[in-house]
Amino acid sequence: MRAPRAASPRSRRARAALTSTAAFVVLAALVPATASAADTQEVDAALPYVCAFPSGPVPATVRISAEFPQRARAGEAFSPAGVTTAVELPAEAVAGLAGSDVTEVRAGTALAVAVAQDAATATAIWRGGSDPVPLPASGPLTLTATGDVPSVTGRGDGDLTFTAGDLALGLTPGPAPGPAEDSGDGEVTGVPAVDCALAEDAPDEGLLATVPAVPGPAGTSGPPSPPASGGPSPVPGGGPRERQEGRSGEAPESVPSAAADRDVPPCRYDEDNPPTPLSLNAYVTGYANVKKQKAASYLPPSCVLIDGGEFQFPVDEPFDPEQLVMVLTTYGEFSHQGRPETPPYDSTFLSFDFTPVKATMVLKQTGPMRIDARMTMRYSDLFTTTETYVRVPLIAQVTALEVNGVPLDVGPSCRTEESLTSVEPDPAKHPGDHVVLYGKAEQAIGEDVVGYTLLTGGPLAGEVTIPAFTGCGTGREDLDRLLTASVSGPGNHIKQVQGQTCTPLVPVFETPETRGQCTEDLQPFQIPVAER
């Protein structure tokens, strides 16, 4: 599936601007949390859009409904609730969807919502999906999509405004497919995604809501807290490592240079999850030590889909006359067969130093993957340093187990009791159990980046505690204690490598003069190689 082209001059201008600033494409979104205000304001906005269907531009009405708090406190996060995006398509658009065997259609939506407070701005992506709707023989069609949306944290006492922007609309005939209902080559069947741009005569230019922010508790309006002293600083290559006398799985010997015949799972947006102009995708791979086994487990290349955005000036930080400082926060999600998880992978160890154990595992994401970066550039020589923290809650599920070649039935619910955990350098701002990975990059003017940035990829490192296992075994055989004794515990070093990201709507293809970022079918061009 190829990504759609721009729907209007407005969309083309936005994407041209994105191309010129591609080195800073990432999302400034905010901490997920529940709404903190008791009173709510209900929004029901019917906005005119123009959608670029293959047959030509078609006017449509997009009705956006949500509940916002009447007011918010600075430093406290809230989420718009009950968000629905109803796309009302006219008869001429519906006629193009009809086919001899098409009786119903479902939608996936990605709405760009601009969030602003004083001079600070960010773009949040509101994604949703609809149930299948019968396709009428004639006349209009309304598709209503629902889904969770990013939340917002005001950093001052100015008004927060939410404004609707471009909409990516994916249309797929029939009911939702199962994991195996693919075209065979990873290409999802259906109608190509459609770009919809807010019409120039939209009321209030698409303004959805204004939420006044009042001062919060003392200390909530300052800049982000630095890493706490005494916590881990897992600089790639610099943290404590355990002996890796054994390992499970083998990393690829080289990086393939073409899209065909790549031994990796698909990594692309589709009709149910269409890309926006700021969307990114990338592969990540690496090793995770299991300290008790004195060995490492190999994580094969896994797909990560990222909602992009832009660097922002830090709020309420004093001006630094010697360097430029910019920050960003963005969100990502593992993606395997439509689920937020990695592909299954095998880990083989000598348990208790003499018994061979082979476990097939999956890492499942149970909450938002948050990526925080801070970039500083010296005015004197334009030398740039970027530090990035990736935070993600992950449980490890065991789907199959062999001990000394004998299969043991672990059942369908064998997993860690809680998320794998790291020592959090800023627990007040980032509570809860999650993995923390750290990457650092440096770049001299005119030279390539050395280290990790979200766009260029690179190594990330950290250390995790593996919780106890639960739900393992069937009938009278309880395998929880076996897995807990063999694997669970602290001090497990992780080193992950992310590849160069692809921006599907502004793709960079491989040429003799250009390093490839995207394949022809808009997957990440680079497949990273795991490093120890």
Side-chain angles (χ1 to χ4, degrees):
M1 179 190 73
R2 292 302 303 269
R5 298 299 179 189
S8 67
R10 175 177 181 151
S11 296
R12 287 194 292 271
R13 289 195 299 271
R15 290 176 191 176
L18 179 67
T19 304
S20 66
T21 59
F24 300 103
V25 176
V26 272
L27 169 68
L30 303 157
V31 187
T34 57
S36 58
D39 298 331
T40 60
Q41 52 175 312
E42 296 184 359
V43 172
D44 187 6
L47 301 175
Y49 274 75
V50 178
C51 296
F53 279 87
S55 59
V58 173
T61 299
V62 177
R63 184 176 294 276
I64 303 165
S65 301
E67 293 182 358
F68 292 84
Q70 291 284 5
R71 65 193 63 83
R73 284 187 177 276
E76 293 185 4
F78 67 88
S79 290
V83 175
T84 63
T85 303
V87 183
E88 302 173 5
L89 299 176
E92 56 187 298
V94 177
L97 301 176
S100 58
D101 57 349
V102 176
T103 60
E104 57 186 11
V105 67
R106 56 193 171 85
T109 60
L111 176 68
V113 176
V115 184
Q117 185 181 43
D118 297 328
T121 61
T123 300
I125 305 301
W126 289 7
R127 295 188 180 273
S130 76
D131 293 329
V133 175
L135 193 63
S138 62
L141 171 68
T142 298
L143 296 160
T144 302
T146 60
D148 295 330
V149 301
S151 54
V152 173
T153 304
R155 299 299 295 173
D157 56 2
D159 289 348
L160 284 159
T161 61
F162 296 77
T163 305
D166 289 347
L167 172 72
L169 173 65
L171 298 170
T172 305
E181 295 182 54
D182 207 31
S183 63
D185 59 358
E187 190 76 28
V188 179
T189 59
V191 179
V194 175
D195 274 353
C196 299
L198 186 70
E200 294 183 356
D201 60 348
D204 298 322
E205 298 184 325
L207 179 66
L208 298 176
T210 298
V211 179
V214 298
T220 58
S221 60
S225 302
S229 60
S233 181
V235 179
R241 298 173 182 262
E242 296 301 318
R243 289 185 299 129
Q244 299 187 354
E245 298 171 347
R247 70 178 187 179
S248 57
E250 293 294 329
E253 293 297 326
S254 62
V255 180
S257 59
D261 301 324
R262 306 197 307 173
D263 188 21
V264 290
C267 187
R268 61 164 66 89
Y269 292 86
D270 56 30
E271 291 81 6
D272 291 330
N273 189 23
T276 72
L278 301 180
S279 295
L280 308 168
N281 50 346
Y283 284 109
V284 62
T285 185
Y287 287 103
N289 282 4
V290 179
K291 183 177 181 180
K292 285 184 175 180
Q293 300 298 327
K294 302 175 183 178
S297 178
Y298 168 61
L299 176 68
S302 302
C303 173
V304 179
L305 304 180
I306 303 164
D307 280 330
E310 300 157 352
F311 272 92
Q312 304 285 328
F313 292 106
V315 178
D316 297 335
E317 284 193 29
F319 173 73
D320 190 329
E322 297 184 354
Q323 61 185 7
L324 171 69
V325 180
M326 302 191 80
V327 296
L328 69 93
T329 301
T330 183
Y331 288 101
E333 185 174 84
F334 282 110
S335 179
H336 180 66
Q337 296 183 342
R339 297 183 294 272
E341 62 189 34
T342 68
Y345 60 96
D346 292 335
S347 299
T348 303
F349 308 108
L350 283 177
S351 187
F352 307 111
D353 293 328
F354 67 88
T355 303
V357 175
K358 177 182 176 181
T360 302
M361 307 184 71
V362 173
L363 292 178
K364 294 193 171 186
Q365 186 175 332
T366 59
M369 175 190 297
R370 176 171 170 146
I371 305 167
D372 292 286
R374 182 180 180 88
M375 182 196 73
T376 59
M377 182 176 68
R378 291 197 301 254
Y379 293 125
S380 59
D381 57 2
L382 302 184
F383 186 84
T384 301
T385 301
T386 304
E387 292 187 281
T388 304
Y389 285 91
V390 179
R391 296 173 170 90
V392 56
L394 295 170
I395 62 169
Q397 180 168 355
V398 179
T399 60
L401 183 66
E402 291 183 7
V403 177
N404 201 22
V406 178
L408 299 180
D409 189 355
V410 295
S413 304
C414 181
R415 45 159 284 182
T416 53
E417 289 181 337
E418 301 169 338
S419 169
L420 283 65
T421 59
S422 301
V423 175
E424 169 56 59
D426 191 354
K429 187 175 180 181
H430 304 286
D433 294 334
H434 51 262
V435 173
V436 180
L437 299 178
Y438 172 86
K440 183 177 181 180
E442 296 180 339
Q443 184 179 25
I445 186 70
E447 299 182 6
D448 289 339
V449 173
V450 178
Y452 175 84
T453 71
L454 179 61
L455 282 182
T456 60
L460 293 155
E463 189 172 284
V464 301
T465 295
I466 302 174
F469 283 79
T470 184
C472 304
T474 57
R476 291 175 296 177
E477 192 168 32
D478 185 351
L479 302 178
D480 292 348
R481 288 182 294 176
L482 171 64
L483 287 168
T484 298
S486 302
V487 176
S488 301
N492 303 284
H493 182 76
I494 294 177
K495 186 172 184 180
Q496 300 294 295
V497 180
Q498 179 203 302
Q500 164 76 51
T501 57
C502 164
T503 308
L505 294 187
V506 193
V508 177
F509 300 118
E510 180 81 357
T511 71
E513 296 80 25
T514 306
R515 297 177 183 176
Q517 298 180 11
C518 303
T519 64
E520 289 295 329
D521 57 351
L522 303 181
Q523 299 189 69
F525 183 87
Q526 185 183 46
I527 302 173
V529 176
E531 299 176 2
R532 292 188 177 279

